[in-house]
Amino acid sequence: MNWNEHFPALLLIIPLFGAFLAPVCSLGGKMARNILLVAASFLTLVVAFLLWRSVLANGIQYYVMGGENFRLALPSGMALPVRIILEVDAFSAFMALCGSIAAFAGALFSVNYMNRFSGQSRFTSLYLLLATGMLGMMITGDLFNFFIFIEISSIASFGLIAFWRDKPSAIEASLKYTLVSQVGSMLILIAAGSLYGKYNALNMAAIGSSLTMGTMEKLALVFLVGSLAMKCGAFPMHMWLPDAYAEAPTGVTCLLVAVSQASLYGLMRVCFSIYGVAMGSTFVPWMIIIFGLASMFFGVSMAVVQHDIKRLMGYHSVSQVGYMLLGLGVGLLVLGDARGMADFGFTAIKGGVFHVFNYTMYKALLFLTAGALYYATGKKDLNEMGGLARRMPYTTFMFVIAAAAISGLPPFNGFVSKLLIYESSFAVHPSLAVVALLTSVLTLASFVKVFQTAFLGPEKNSLLHVQEVPPAMLLGMVVLTAAILGATLFPSWTLSNLVEPAARALVDQSGYIGAIVGGGM
């Protein structure tokens, strides 16, 4: 048997099986449950890496759930793709790899972090179910199944955000997330139903092959863009994000960062694989650019004044999503331009795709360092911390790495992706690059404040008992630190082997459609 062809299915089966196995493993005690959580997350990461390697070597890989013959032949001779199809190109594989790294790091961190609390079998099940939903969103080739997977991830998120059910703030955060998620999901379902009603297809490649831009298509596009921008935390639909990230257990917050990127993946996939570069002539690229600029500026402005360290980082998540939306919007706007701007469009897409990887790694690491501070001190308020660098040197070092990366300081990986976005957005209009640069300056100022307040200065008397967090928590942070340093030390390799194949696959609408509809396999 050739295992390569089963990687897409295994990517979903492993965490899903682990989610249902968790209550059984709980009968064997805490050790068995922790082994299951880490093993399932690690095996998922291994499969994601092997799938990425396979796709780069062999091209787009598809997997049919429910039978080998997945085409319905009509009397006219046309063949429509039916059944559940997982379609994985270099962009899907890249996103799945990013998400799997974050899931594994969060699982390692949670082994010690969650030991103080009860209900761990439910935690393990929901965590692995959330990972399943996230990965399903990234590799499905079907709009309706994208909706199914987004619902799976949402339901798991509701429970995990409200995991501290005795805290009113956690229940409130989960309720906010529930309301926003359900509104977004219904808009996605309405858009999918509208497209199905006209094209008699739900497969994204099949819809993209025959789509013509009319009033209904434009309305469906607005619904999809608005709902997915809401799900990834774009301003002004960001109200759920700081609360959810602040109240969820820290390992879950690490995974939620990647889950938000799955929604951004859906937005990118809709724009390029279904609607294509031809939508550059519509108002939607400017709509995405405006979302990006507003998210960057207002997100960082709200972050600067926060004292709760996780809420501060939550608002920075809103700001960082803005960079990716700006890169996507600029790419859509000029990629099809015949006046020599197409190169800047692809540069913007590369910057946005690279920033997806960078953001997932350094933002997940920042949340884990914040969780480590809370675990060691029992405090979230920055004004109650001080001098922790002396007692938590490893956490301090990894915080500095992540803070430098998110601030875009050279030579860190965040600088490279931001530079690509600056360059391309400046070519469209200098004011776009000015907002992006100002956001980076305010981001740096914010994290200088955090570093000065929490890690430097005199030690507080109430913190004299503090010591470094346990090894498993450090190991979770090390996984993400290694990814950041790898992208920092080898930027050319990262761009040429990780980012460019993903970006080229994203903009190659004909290749994505041809693999399923055109008989490319």
Side-chain angles (χ1 to χ4, degrees), residues 432-480:
L432 304 181
V434 169
V435 174
L437 283 165
L438 177 61
T439 300
S440 282
V441 172
L442 292 175
T443 301
L444 177 61
S446 177
F447 279 99
V448 167
K449 180 190 81 169
V450 173
F451 183 63
Q452 169 64 33
T453 306
F455 293 97
L456 302 181
E459 290 182 294
K460 300 290 179 70
N461 290 333
S462 59
L463 302 179
L464 295 178
H465 66 284
V466 170
Q467 57 185 1
E468 190 59 89
V469 293
M473 295 172 69
L474 287 175
L475 188 57
M477 292 188 279
V478 165
V479 169
L480 298 170

Side-chain angles (χ1 to χ4, degrees), residues 265-484:
Y265 163 84
L267 175 57
M268 292 180 168
R269 182 63 77 194
V270 164
C271 290
F272 280 103
S273 298
I274 297 180
Y275 284 84
V277 179
M279 67 176 286
S281 59
T282 69
F283 66 93
V284 171
W286 278 110
M287 175 182 169
I288 295 173
I289 289 172
I290 291 169
F291 276 153
L293 294 175
S295 299
M296 281 191 289
F297 181 75
F298 290 106
V300 77
S301 299
M302 290 182 283
V304 169
V305 298
Q306 299 297 317
H307 296 286
D308 184 307
I309 187 168
K310 286 190 75 176
R311 284 185 66 83
L312 179 147
M313 293 178 181
Y315 279 112
H316 275 299
S317 293
V318 176
S319 175
Q320 293 300 307
V321 165
Y323 282 97
M324 292 168 269
L325 291 175
L326 177 60
L328 172 61
V330 169
L332 288 169
L333 188 68
V334 301
L335 197 57
D337 193 290
R339 297 168 297 170
M341 293 288 288
D343 287 344
F344 289 109
F346 187 65
T347 299
I349 297 300
K350 279 200 304 183
V353 170
F354 195 11
H355 208 71
V356 167
F357 173 82
N358 294 338
Y359 165 77
T360 304
M361 297 303 112
Y362 59 57
K363 177 54 67 174
L365 178 56
L366 284 168
F367 276 117
L368 292 190
T369 58
L373 294 180
Y374 177 68
Y375 182 91
T377 66
K379 303 180 185 302
K380 292 183 180 179
D381 193 328
L382 288 169
N383 295 328
E384 298 178 359
M385 301 181 194
L388 293 174
R390 301 176 182 85
R391 299 189 173 274
M392 304 177 70
Y394 301 119
T395 299
T396 304
F397 172 75
M398 287 184 275
F399 173 85
V400 170
I401 295 293
I406 194 175
S407 301
L409 294 180
F412 287 94
N413 56 335
F415 169 75
V416 180
S417 58
K418 287 184 178 182
L419 183 62
L420 295 173
I421 295 172
Y422 297 153
E423 178 187 354
S424 54
S425 58
F426 185 86
V428 172
H429 199 286
S431 62
L432 304 181
V434 169
V435 174
L437 283 165
L438 177 61
T439 300
S440 282
V441 172
L442 292 175
T443 301
L444 177 61
S446 177
F447 279 99
V448 167
K449 180 190 81 169
V450 173
F451 183 63
Q452 169 64 33
T453 306
F455 293 97
L456 302 181
E459 290 182 294
K460 300 290 179 70
N461 290 333
S462 59
L463 302 179
L464 295 178
H465 66 284
V466 170
Q467 57 185 1
E468 190 59 89
V469 293
M473 295 172 69
L474 287 175
L475 188 57
M477 292 188 279
V478 165
V479 169
L480 298 170
T481 304
I484 293 170

Side-chain angles (χ1 to χ4, degrees), residues 37-156:
L37 176 63
V38 174
S41 301
F42 178 71
L43 287 175
T44 302
L45 174 57
V46 170
V47 171
F49 175 75
L50 294 175
L51 177 60
W52 172 73
R53 288 281 303 272
S54 175
V55 169
L56 287 190
N58 305 312
I60 295 177
Q61 189 166 337
Y62 70 92
Y63 192 89
V64 185
M65 299 283 199
E68 295 183 7
N69 182 16
F70 65 92
R71 281 203 182 92
L72 174 64
L74 302 179
S76 63
M78 182 179 180
L80 287 177
V82 295
R83 297 192 174 94
I84 299 174
I85 299 176
L86 307 178
E87 186 171 359
V88 187
D89 62 2
F91 182 54
S92 307
F94 165 82
M95 292 295 298
L97 182 60
C98 293
S100 298
I101 293 171
F104 177 55
L108 283 172
F109 190 89
S110 298
V111 167
N112 289 124
Y113 188 85
M114 299 302 297
N115 269 349
R116 300 176 176 179
F117 309 105
S118 60
Q120 291 183 44
S121 63
R122 293 188 293 273
F123 174 85
T124 302
S125 290
L126 290 172
Y127 188 93
L128 293 174
L129 199 62
L130 180 57
T132 304
M134 171 193 71
L135 294 168
M137 291 165 64
M138 292 171 173
I139 66 172
T140 184
D142 184 286
L143 263 182
F144 182 73
N145 288 304
F146 182 85
F147 165 77
I148 295 297
F149 283 118
I150 209 170
E151 283 294 277
I152 290 172
S153 66
S154 295
I155 291 168

Side-chain angles (χ1 to χ4, degrees), residues 497-521:
N497 293 279
L498 194 64
V499 175
E500 283 197 20
R504 291 193 185 281
L506 174 62
V507 301
D508 183 15
Q509 184 188 26
S510 60
Y512 186 82
I513 292 172
I516 294 294
V517 177
M521 65 285 168

Side-chain angles (χ1 to χ4, degrees), residues 10-24:
L10 287 172
L11 191 65
L12 303 181
I13 289 170
I14 291 171
L16 184 61
F17 181 70
F20 286 99
L21 192 61
V24 178

